[in-house]
Amino acid sequence: MFLVGSFFLFAAFLITTCIFVIFSKNPVNSVLFLVLAFLNSTFLFILIGAEFVGIILAIVYIGAVAILFLFVVMMLDIQITTLMFNIKRYIPLALLFAGIILAEIIYLTVFKTSKDNLDTFIRSKNNTEQIGDVLYTEYFIDFQLSGIVLLLAMIGAIVLTHVYRPTIKRQNIESQNSTTAQDRVKLVKIKSGEGIKDD
Amino acid sequence: MTSLSFELTIGILKIFSFVVPVLVSVALLVYLERKVLGAVQLRKGPNVVGPFGILQSFADVLKLLTKENLLPSSSNKFLFIFAPMLTLILSLIAWAVIPISSTYVIANINIGILYLFAVSSFGVYGVIIAGWASNSKYPFLGALRSAAQMISYEVSIGFVIITVLICVGSLNLIDIVESQKSMWFAIPLLPMFVIFIISALAETNRLPFDLPEDEATLVAGFFTEYSSISFGLFFLAEYANMILMSSLTVILFLGGWYPPIDIFPLNAIPGIFWFVIKVFLILFVFLWVRATFPRYRYDQLMRLGWKIFLPFTLIWVVITSAFLFYFGLLPN
């Protein structure tokens, strides 16, 4: 009873925050609602007993991805009217993705597994250990491949955005650190009446 | 029904038994900081309010409470008020999983260390929301600096935690402490211990990494626009976070509630005493570093995080796991 009640509570919160992500006028508020949505999905994962997945979702998406979103969105100077105009352009694409995800959910829930199976599988053992058991053995190739895909995406992003500007001044940390007092200051003994010879 | 309300009461009392000592130790920590800084700089420090000035922080809190809370007219009002509350809440909810003895903990969960890591990574939201909602130059720059800084140092903190977890074989905080009964992890993992303390300084925005609130360039950084109690909440949260990171260091590296050597007169003393004394030692290191080192430049800070700590910790994870694997020391 308690579990079912909290499921509907968090699910309702999740859907509400998702709606606010789309319809709030200020993009910063959208990102903050997105954070709330991630948080609620974390709670949902914890409710089905998958606490490892839930907390990793929180660390990765709330602790890193959403912060970077916020970081970028805060620095944009967006006119709200143009934003609302632009939103209509993306509706077909959004509907396409929504359709794909809906089809996946229907496929998984109706045709693929029965729910009891999943439940006993999850509760049979500490789920951190379970993931550890299969991740590097059964799913080794998939794991490495997804790592390579992420690495490629990262390198791609760096290559696309990094522009080397030869005109700006840079710090040379090694030369700064290896500098000693003798390189900068010279003690000169001056004979009185002669002054320093410029050499 | 009565048993439920009984359990609820016990739970609330347990929460208070953590939160109240933390808040009181914040006040004492502020006093300790001013005394330590005074001693390092050959001054007396606070010595007027109460015996040896020990009530100085309580007087400061009362002063803050009676001041007017100003809201900048161009700020985002809700987020402006919400940010300090969020920061303080996050620094207090982390105490739910901290075990101060082998039995005394609010929630003994399987993934305690991940929960702590998640909560400490949420801490950046308070800062970044405060900076943006103030709608002013210096707070915004402070927020941006802090976001980049905290994310950078979280990476190395993550790898340090992974090294410890490889040695323990569990994500439970009590298991982590109990596996250090014979030897504290600070001895075999000394480099990681040092890196963890330095990253903790950066994560809590303490000197020499307090660039988000660098008063020489940014007035007061992300809380420039805050006054009265909303400033007080940030202040409280910063020191509560310091205590939290110190307790985390003690749990991960200094054997939690275990005495230094497991012999009679030492192990007769209750574990909570050892825990508190170790936390205070780490806190003293925080203050000592503050009094000794000058502030880092921002590019030096980023270079230290990404070009030194990240490769070093990454290589150390590989070395540690290879060592444990080849000598058959891997847990389970």
Side-chain angles (χ1 to χ4, degrees):
Chain A
M1 187 59 214
F2 178 71
L3 275 181
V4 175
S6 17
F7 168 76
F8 281 112
L9 182 72
F10 290 132
F13 263 128
L14 179 59
I15 291 169
T16 321
T17 48
C18 287
I19 290 169
F20 273 109
V21 171
I22 300 166
F23 289 108
S24 59
K25 282 184 181 143
N26 192 330
V28 172
N29 288 349
S30 288
V31 179
L32 292 176
F33 278 117
L34 187 66
V35 171
L36 269 184
F38 285 142
L39 198 63
N40 277 309
S41 40
T42 300
F43 294 150
L44 287 180
F45 271 118
I46 292 173
L47 269 185
I48 61 164
E51 75 267 6
F52 183 79
V53 182
I55 213 90
I56 289 291
L57 183 90
I59 291 174
V60 174
Y61 282 91
I62 306 177
V65 174
I67 287 178
L68 294 180
F69 272 8
L70 202 59
F71 198 79
V72 173
V73 165
M74 271 182 182
M75 287 193 282
L76 300 176
D77 186 25
I78 300 171
Q79 300 298 317
I80 288 162
T81 45
T82 56
L83 202 77
M84 292 314 279
F85 172 74
N86 275 341
I87 210 167
K88 287 186 187 112
R89 264 177 47 199
Y90 298 113
I91 284 178
L93 196 67
L95 284 178
L96 179 72
F97 278 114
I100 292 173
I101 292 171
L102 184 69
E104 279 176 354
I105 291 173
I106 289 173
Y107 173 71
L108 283 175
T109 48
V110 179
F111 301 107
K112 192 78 175 173
T113 48
S114 69
K115 198 183 159 292
D116 304 329
N117 241 339
L118 191 70
D119 220 39
T120 49
F121 176 71
I122 286 172
R123 292 188 197 286
S124 62
K125 207 174 168 188
N126 178 350
N127 78 74
T128 315
E129 285 174 29
Q130 268 183 340
I131 291 172
D133 277 347
V134 291
L135 189 62
Y136 290 99
T137 51
E138 234 176 280
Y139 297 101
F140 180 74
I141 301 288
D142 308 57
F143 183 67
Q144 295 293 329
L145 279 179
S146 54
I148 289 171
V149 169
L150 284 175
L151 183 69
L152 280 179
M154 193 175 80
I155 294 172
I158 293 171
V159 168
L160 284 176
T161 54
H162 185 72
V163 183
Y164 187 81
R165 282 168 295 176
T167 52
I168 61 169
K169 289 187 175 174
R170 283 162 211 283
Q171 310 266 351
N172 186 347
I173 308 282
E174 281 71 29
S175 78
Q176 284 175 8
N177 284 343
S178 58
T179 305
T180 55
Q182 281 75 40
D183 301 335
R184 293 278 188 268
V185 189
K186 196 166 67 176
L187 201 64
V188 184
K189 201 145 199 174
I190 307 163
K191 274 184 189 166
S192 61
E194 284 188 6
I196 304 171
K197 275 183 203 130
D198 193 21
D199 48 28
Chain B
M1 204 59 213
T2 47
S3 76
L4 182 70
S5 63
F6 177 71
E7 269 181 33
L8 212 64
T9 320
I10 292 290
I12 290 170
L13 283 179
K14 234 178 171 180
I15 290 169
F16 270 100
S17 78
F18 273 83
V19 170
V20 173
V22 167
L23 293 181
V24 172
S25 2
V26 165
L28 295 179
L29 177 61
V30 175
Y31 167 75
L32 182 74
E33 171 167 41
R34 296 178 65 178
K35 273 291 187 193
V36 169
L37 287 181
V40 172
Q41 296 161 1
L42 298 179
R43 295 182 284 112
K44 276 186 176 163
N47 61 353
V48 177
V49 190
F52 307 106
I54 201 161
L55 298 176
Q56 180 68 50
S57 337
F58 298 98
D60 287 343
V61 169
L62 287 179
K63 185 202 74 178
L64 272 179
L65 280 171
T66 54
K67 283 192 161 185
E68 184 189 357
N69 198 359
L70 292 169
L71 287 177
S73 60
S74 60
S75 65
N76 183 329
K77 301 283 184 305
F78 174 76
L79 289 179
F80 187 80
I81 297 169
F82 177 67
M85 284 156 60
L86 178 74
T87 316
L88 185 65
I89 289 169
L90 286 174
S91 67
L92 291 180
I93 58 168
W95 286 92
V97 296
I98 299 271
I100 51 172
S101 80
S102 53
T103 49
Y104 202 72
V105 54
I106 295 175
N108 180 18
I109 56 176
N110 283 332
I111 45 161
I113 189 75
L114 285 181
Y115 172 83
L116 275 182
F117 189 60
V119 169
S120 79
S121 67
F122 296 172
V124 68
Y125 279 101
V127 174
I128 203 169
I129 290 174
W132 182 78
S134 300
N135 201 2
S136 157
K137 290 185 213 69
Y138 296 124
F140 189 60
L141 283 173
L144 293 182
R145 279 185 179 186
S146 136
Q149 171 181 338
M150 287 166 105
I151 288 178
S152 312
Y153 280 84
E154 250 160 43
V155 182
S156 50
I157 285 189
F159 280 120
V160 173
I161 289 177
I162 286 173
T163 325
V164 173
L165 294 182
I166 290 171
C167 301
V168 179
S170 166
L171 301 176
N172 186 315
L173 289 169
I174 290 182
D175 290 348
I176 291 174
V177 175
E178 279 178 349
S179 63
Q180 301 178 57
K181 192 165 186 181
S182 51
M183 192 201 277
W184 296 355
F185 284 141
I187 301 161
L189 298 175
L190 185 67
M192 300 309 255
F193 175 54
V194 174
I195 285 183
F196 189 83
I197 288 190
I198 298 173
S199 305
L201 288 172
E203 186 77 5
T204 50
N205 296 328
R206 292 288 301 173
L207 276 149
F209 305 118
D210 68 336
L211 290 151
E213 47 195 276
D214 179 359
E215 61 277 293
T217 54
L218 290 181
V219 190
F222 64 89
F223 54 67
T224 305
E225 303 287 347
Y226 282 87
S227 56
S228 175
I229 194 62
S230 50
F231 167 77
L233 292 184
F234 271 126
F235 200 70
L236 214 59
E238 183 185 334
Y239 284 84
N241 267 329
M242 273 170 72
I243 302 176
L244 178 71
M245 289 311 272
S246 307
S247 329
L248 191 56
T249 318
V250 168
I251 287 169
L252 287 176
F253 290 104
L254 295 181
W257 52 84
Y258 285 121
I261 317 161
D262 199 13
I263 51 171
F264 167 66
L266 293 180
N267 61 22
I269 299 168
I272 182 163
F273 170 78
W274 289 114
F275 190 85
V276 169
I277 210 161
K278 285 172 193 169
V279 168
F280 264 86
L281 271 178
I282 301 287
L283 284 173
F284 177 73
V285 171
F286 272 57
L287 307 180
W288 194 10
V289 166
R290 169 172 183 180
T292 312
F293 288 101
R295 183 179 285 132
Y296 261 55
R297 219 170 48 213
Y298 196 67
D299 62 314
Q300 291 172 329
L301 174 89
M302 282 299 167
R303 180 175 170 273
L304 185 70
W306 288 106
K307 291 192 176 170
I308 299 175
F309 281 1
L310 179 62
F312 188 87
T313 47
L314 198 56
I315 288 169
W316 208 265
V317 169
V318 176
I319 289 175
T320 310
S321 40
F323 181 85
L324 292 174
F325 184 75
Y326 283 111
F327 290 90
L329 295 170
L330 273 178
N332 303 325

PDB file of all heavy atoms in Angstrom, chain B residues 205-221:
ATOM      1  N   ASN B 205      34.961  24.746  -1.054  1.00  0.00           N
ATOM      2  CA  ASN B 205      35.314  26.135  -1.350  1.00  0.00           C
ATOM      3  C   ASN B 205      36.092  26.793  -0.225  1.00  0.00           C
ATOM      4  O   ASN B 205      35.873  27.954   0.102  1.00  0.00           O
ATOM      5  CB  ASN B 205      34.065  26.982  -1.635  1.00  0.00           C
ATOM      6  CG  ASN B 205      33.354  26.518  -2.869  1.00  0.00           C
ATOM      7  OD1 ASN B 205      33.997  26.025  -3.802  1.00  0.00           O
ATOM      8  ND2 ASN B 205      32.054  26.660  -2.889  1.00  0.00           N
ATOM      9  N   ARG B 206      37.014  26.029   0.351  1.00  0.00           N
ATOM     10  CA  ARG B 206      37.824  26.606   1.420  1.00  0.00           C
ATOM     11  C   ARG B 206      39.149  27.085   0.853  1.00  0.00           C
ATOM     12  O   ARG B 206      39.598  26.614  -0.198  1.00  0.00           O
ATOM     13  CB  ARG B 206      38.115  25.543   2.484  1.00  0.00           C
ATOM     14  CG  ARG B 206      36.899  25.128   3.242  1.00  0.00           C
ATOM     15  CD  ARG B 206      36.433  26.187   4.175  1.00  0.00           C
ATOM     16  NE  ARG B 206      37.460  26.538   5.154  1.00  0.00           N
ATOM     17  CZ  ARG B 206      37.345  27.543   6.010  1.00  0.00           C
ATOM     18  NH1 ARG B 206      36.289  28.301   5.993  1.00  0.00           N
ATOM     19  NH2 ARG B 206      38.296  27.783   6.874  1.00  0.00           N
ATOM     20  N   LEU B 207      39.809  27.976   1.574  1.00  0.00           N
ATOM     21  CA  LEU B 207      41.151  28.378   1.182  1.00  0.00           C
ATOM     22  C   LEU B 207      42.051  27.146   1.145  1.00  0.00           C
ATOM     23  O   LEU B 207      41.872  26.258   1.969  1.00  0.00           O
ATOM     24  CB  LEU B 207      41.716  29.385   2.185  1.00  0.00           C
ATOM     25  CG  LEU B 207      41.304  30.829   1.934  1.00  0.00           C
ATOM     26  CD1 LEU B 207      41.233  31.560   3.229  1.00  0.00           C
ATOM     27  CD2 LEU B 207      42.267  31.478   0.995  1.00  0.00           C
ATOM     28  N   PRO B 208      43.041  27.032   0.255  1.00  0.00           N
ATOM     29  CA  PRO B 208      43.434  28.033  -0.737  1.00  0.00           C
ATOM     30  C   PRO B 208      42.621  27.989  -2.029  1.00  0.00           C
ATOM     31  O   PRO B 208      43.046  28.537  -3.028  1.00  0.00           O
ATOM     32  CB  PRO B 208      44.889  27.632  -1.009  1.00  0.00           C
ATOM     33  CG  PRO B 208      44.910  26.169  -0.803  1.00  0.00           C
ATOM     34  CD  PRO B 208      43.904  25.878   0.256  1.00  0.00           C
ATOM     35  N   PHE B 209      41.460  27.323  -2.031  1.00  0.00           N
ATOM     36  CA  PHE B 209      40.670  27.211  -3.265  1.00  0.00           C
ATOM     37  C   PHE B 209      39.352  27.958  -3.149  1.00  0.00           C
ATOM     38  O   PHE B 209      38.364  27.525  -3.710  1.00  0.00           O
ATOM     39  CB  PHE B 209      40.372  25.741  -3.561  1.00  0.00           C
ATOM     40  CG  PHE B 209      41.586  24.874  -3.633  1.00  0.00           C
ATOM     41  CD1 PHE B 209      41.767  23.832  -2.752  1.00  0.00           C
ATOM     42  CD2 PHE B 209      42.542  25.110  -4.590  1.00  0.00           C
ATOM     43  CE1 PHE B 209      42.886  23.028  -2.823  1.00  0.00           C
ATOM     44  CE2 PHE B 209      43.661  24.311  -4.662  1.00  0.00           C
ATOM     45  CZ  PHE B 209      43.840  23.279  -3.780  1.00  0.00           C
ATOM     46  N   ASP B 210      39.276  29.051  -2.396  1.00  0.00           N
ATOM     47  CA  ASP B 210      37.977  29.680  -2.198  1.00  0.00           C
ATOM     48  C   ASP B 210      37.684  30.718  -3.272  1.00  0.00           C
ATOM     49  O   ASP B 210      37.161  31.789  -2.992  1.00  0.00           O
ATOM     50  CB  ASP B 210      37.867  30.285  -0.797  1.00  0.00           C
ATOM     51  CG  ASP B 210      38.775  31.463  -0.613  1.00  0.00           C
ATOM     52  OD1 ASP B 210      39.775  31.522  -1.349  1.00  0.00           O
ATOM     53  OD2 ASP B 210      38.496  32.312   0.233  1.00  0.00           O
ATOM     54  N   LEU B 211      37.988  30.363  -4.545  1.00  0.00           N
ATOM     55  CA  LEU B 211      37.783  31.322  -5.634  1.00  0.00           C
ATOM     56  C   LEU B 211      36.338  31.741  -5.848  1.00  0.00           C
ATOM     57  O   LEU B 211      36.104  32.859  -6.280  1.00  0.00           O
ATOM     58  CB  LEU B 211      38.373  30.743  -6.914  1.00  0.00           C
ATOM     59  CG  LEU B 211      39.882  30.745  -6.782  1.00  0.00           C
ATOM     60  CD1 LEU B 211      40.492  29.644  -7.571  1.00  0.00           C
ATOM     61  CD2 LEU B 211      40.420  32.071  -7.223  1.00  0.00           C
ATOM     62  N   PRO B 212      35.317  30.895  -5.551  1.00  0.00           N
ATOM     63  CA  PRO B 212      33.944  31.373  -5.713  1.00  0.00           C
ATOM     64  C   PRO B 212      33.629  32.580  -4.840  1.00  0.00           C
ATOM     65  O   PRO B 212      32.704  33.325  -5.125  1.00  0.00           O
ATOM     66  CB  PRO B 212      33.105  30.172  -5.293  1.00  0.00           C
ATOM     67  CG  PRO B 212      33.967  29.019  -5.507  1.00  0.00           C
ATOM     68  CD  PRO B 212      35.349  29.467  -5.249  1.00  0.00           C
ATOM     69  N   GLU B 213      34.372  32.767  -3.748  1.00  0.00           N
ATOM     70  CA  GLU B 213      34.066  33.909  -2.877  1.00  0.00           C
ATOM     71  C   GLU B 213      35.297  34.773  -2.663  1.00  0.00           C
ATOM     72  O   GLU B 213      35.467  35.392  -1.621  1.00  0.00           O
ATOM     73  CB  GLU B 213      33.508  33.410  -1.550  1.00  0.00           C
ATOM     74  CG  GLU B 213      34.323  32.286  -0.972  1.00  0.00           C
ATOM     75  CD  GLU B 213      33.567  31.576   0.125  1.00  0.00           C
ATOM     76  OE1 GLU B 213      33.635  32.076   1.241  1.00  0.00           O
ATOM     77  OE2 GLU B 213      32.921  30.554  -0.140  1.00  0.00           O
ATOM     78  N   ASP B 214      36.155  34.766  -3.679  1.00  0.00           N
ATOM     79  CA  ASP B 214      37.419  35.464  -3.659  1.00  0.00           C
ATOM     80  C   ASP B 214      37.203  36.969  -3.442  1.00  0.00           C
ATOM     81  O   ASP B 214      36.843  37.689  -4.358  1.00  0.00           O
ATOM     82  CB  ASP B 214      38.059  35.186  -5.022  1.00  0.00           C
ATOM     83  CG  ASP B 214      39.374  35.856  -5.201  1.00  0.00           C
ATOM     84  OD1 ASP B 214      39.794  36.553  -4.289  1.00  0.00           O
ATOM     85  OD2 ASP B 214      39.953  35.658  -6.268  1.00  0.00           O
ATOM     86  N   GLU B 215      37.421  37.455  -2.217  1.00  0.00           N
ATOM     87  CA  GLU B 215      37.025  38.851  -1.961  1.00  0.00           C
ATOM     88  C   GLU B 215      37.896  39.871  -2.677  1.00  0.00           C
ATOM     89  O   GLU B 215      37.461  40.981  -2.929  1.00  0.00           O
ATOM     90  CB  GLU B 215      36.948  39.167  -0.469  1.00  0.00           C
ATOM     91  CG  GLU B 215      38.223  39.019   0.345  1.00  0.00           C
ATOM     92  CD  GLU B 215      38.441  37.585   0.767  1.00  0.00           C
ATOM     93  OE1 GLU B 215      37.664  37.061   1.568  1.00  0.00           O
ATOM     94  OE2 GLU B 215      39.414  37.004   0.279  1.00  0.00           O
ATOM     95  N   ALA B 216      39.113  39.483  -3.074  1.00  0.00           N
ATOM     96  CA  ALA B 216      39.966  40.458  -3.747  1.00  0.00           C
ATOM     97  C   ALA B 216      39.464  40.764  -5.152  1.00  0.00           C
ATOM     98  O   ALA B 216      39.631  41.868  -5.644  1.00  0.00           O
ATOM     99  CB  ALA B 216      41.395  39.936  -3.805  1.00  0.00           C
ATOM    100  N   THR B 217      38.828  39.786  -5.826  1.00  0.00           N
ATOM    101  CA  THR B 217      38.373  40.043  -7.193  1.00  0.00           C
ATOM    102  C   THR B 217      36.862  40.043  -7.328  1.00  0.00           C
ATOM    103  O   THR B 217      36.331  40.654  -8.239  1.00  0.00           O
ATOM    104  CB  THR B 217      38.942  38.984  -8.158  1.00  0.00           C
ATOM    105  OG1 THR B 217      38.599  37.704  -7.665  1.00  0.00           O
ATOM    106  CG2 THR B 217      40.428  39.087  -8.274  1.00  0.00           C
ATOM    107  N   LEU B 218      36.140  39.354  -6.430  1.00  0.00           N
ATOM    108  CA  LEU B 218      34.696  39.179  -6.640  1.00  0.00           C
ATOM    109  C   LEU B 218      33.852  39.706  -5.481  1.00  0.00           C
ATOM    110  O   LEU B 218      32.741  39.248  -5.290  1.00  0.00           O
ATOM    111  CB  LEU B 218      34.377  37.694  -6.825  1.00  0.00           C
ATOM    112  CG  LEU B 218      34.838  37.032  -8.102  1.00  0.00           C
ATOM    113  CD1 LEU B 218      34.422  35.585  -8.107  1.00  0.00           C
ATOM    114  CD2 LEU B 218      34.246  37.731  -9.302  1.00  0.00           C
ATOM    115  N   VAL B 219      34.344  40.643  -4.690  1.00  0.00           N
ATOM    116  CA  VAL B 219      33.643  41.174  -3.514  1.00  0.00           C
ATOM    117  C   VAL B 219      33.403  40.048  -2.505  1.00  0.00           C
ATOM    118  O   VAL B 219      34.188  39.857  -1.601  1.00  0.00           O
ATOM    119  CB  VAL B 219      32.330  41.867  -3.878  1.00  0.00           C
ATOM    120  CG1 VAL B 219      31.799  42.599  -2.651  1.00  0.00           C
ATOM    121  CG2 VAL B 219      32.553  42.861  -5.007  1.00  0.00           C
ATOM    122  N   ALA B 220      32.295  39.264  -2.680  1.00  0.00           N
ATOM    123  CA  ALA B 220      32.153  38.077  -1.826  1.00  0.00           C
ATOM    124  C   ALA B 220      31.680  36.904  -2.645  1.00  0.00           C
ATOM    125  O   ALA B 220      31.120  35.958  -2.109  1.00  0.00           O
ATOM    126  CB  ALA B 220      31.190  38.355  -0.689  1.00  0.00           C
ATOM    127  N   GLY B 221      31.853  36.952  -3.991  1.00  0.00           N
ATOM    128  CA  GLY B 221      31.445  35.837  -4.825  1.00  0.00           C
ATOM    129  C   GLY B 221      29.953  35.633  -4.821  1.00  0.00           C
ATOM    130  O   GLY B 221      29.193  36.603  -4.796  1.00  0.00           O
TER     131      GLY B 221
END
